[in-house]
Amino acid sequence: MSARPSAADAFRAERIKLTTLRSLWLPPLFAVLLAVGTTTAVGAVLGGRDRSITDDPGVGVFYGLNFGQAALVAFGVLLLGQEFNTRMLDVSLTAVPRRGRLYGAKLAVGALVGLGAGALGTAGAFAGYAATVPGAWHGPAFARAAVAGVLYPALLVVFCLGATALLGNLTAAMGLLGPTVFLLSPLLAGVPGVRRVVQFLPDRAGQYALHYADDPQVAYGHGTGLLIMALWTALAAYGGLRAVRRAG
């Protein structure tokens, strides 16, 4: 690597970390397996009996994503968080002194892996759902939901990476983001009154874009939901950049 590593050098270094550290490449793999496997299993067992996953095909197709996103959160946190906790960030900064460049390389790797996981998970989930609930997966909203299914994991990973940078600690980020996305947010979404606020959280807004049917209790459209999540992601990424630049 040159004395003044370029953005391509920084990206290459992060790619090598990803492919050589099991803690980094296993979570996206688990996310895809959980998303596809759970959707297929639920479709096979409940597809003919539970109308909640057939009346709105988006709910059935992306049912497994509710579980797979926990692994995506872990991946987004680990991309940067483990370097905070082990002080390996100092080593990374020795190799890539420009903090913004190092952080940008991590964002790029996270986004690309998220897109890959989203593409594989979405394709597999649609295939599994179509095989177990024939004729129920298509419709006028198919293209929009499929695009959202690819983008949602990438946005979630980048959001979690940015939030981890803001917190500056792996344990704090994992303890906050994991339970919030996987447990607290879905529970609060079912509480009358509170739902009006919770629907604007990044995961709630992004997941609404995966649905086919309109929900009269949601204050925005499906496409707007993805834009809301993208805004949260941009804010987290920018806040993380400022935090990384200030870190000692």
Side-chain angles (χ1 to χ4, degrees):
M1 189 174 288
S2 62
R4 303 183 68 177
S6 65
D9 293 328
F11 177 82
R12 190 178 304 111
E14 294 303 318
R15 178 180 57 80
I16 292 172
K17 290 180 188 177
L18 172 68
T19 55
T20 54
L21 293 176
R22 184 180 301 177
S23 61
L24 290 182
W25 61 258
L26 277 179
L29 176 61
F30 284 151
V32 173
L33 293 177
L34 283 169
V36 176
T38 305
T39 290
T40 304
V42 169
V45 175
L46 300 177
R49 292 181 292 173
D50 189 345
R51 295 190 60 181
S52 68
I53 65 170
T54 56
D55 286 351
D56 187 340
V59 174
V61 169
F62 295 105
Y63 189 91
L65 183 60
N66 294 309
F67 302 91
Q69 67 179 352
L72 293 171
V73 169
F75 173 65
V77 171
L78 287 169
L79 272 173
L80 182 59
Q82 64 181 0
E83 295 197 24
F84 278 127
N85 279 32
T86 61
R87 302 304 301 173
M88 285 299 294
L89 184 61
D90 295 335
V91 177
S92 297
L93 287 171
T94 300
V96 185
R98 296 187 63 176
R99 293 169 179 260
R101 183 164 292 175
L102 175 66
Y103 180 68
K106 290 184 179 294
L107 288 179
V109 168
L112 287 174
V113 172
L115 285 173
L120 291 173
T122 297
F126 270 111
Y129 190 73
T132 55
V133 190
W137 61 271
H138 53 75
F142 163 71
R144 172 185 49 74
V147 170
V150 174
L151 294 178
Y152 176 85
L155 292 172
L156 182 62
V157 168
V158 172
F159 173 80
C160 291
L161 197 158
T164 302
L166 279 167
L167 293 169
N169 184 278
L170 182 150
T171 305
M174 199 74 78
L176 174 65
L177 295 171
T180 298
V181 172
F182 190 65
L183 183 63
L184 185 61
S185 178
L187 288 176
L188 292 178
V191 179
V194 179
R195 181 180 182 179
R196 293 185 178 181
V197 177
V198 173
Q199 65 181 303
F200 290 97
L201 292 178
D203 62 307
R204 292 291 92 197
Q207 287 191 32
Y208 186 57
L210 306 174
H211 292 192
Y212 281 38
D214 294 329
D215 185 343
Q217 298 186 58
V218 176
Y220 46 79
H222 298 286
T224 303
L226 198 63
L227 290 176
I228 291 172
M229 185 180 187
L231 178 60
W232 275 101
T233 300
L235 289 173
Y238 177 70
L241 173 62
R242 292 181 62 87
V244 166
R245 284 177 169 170
R246 291 196 306 266

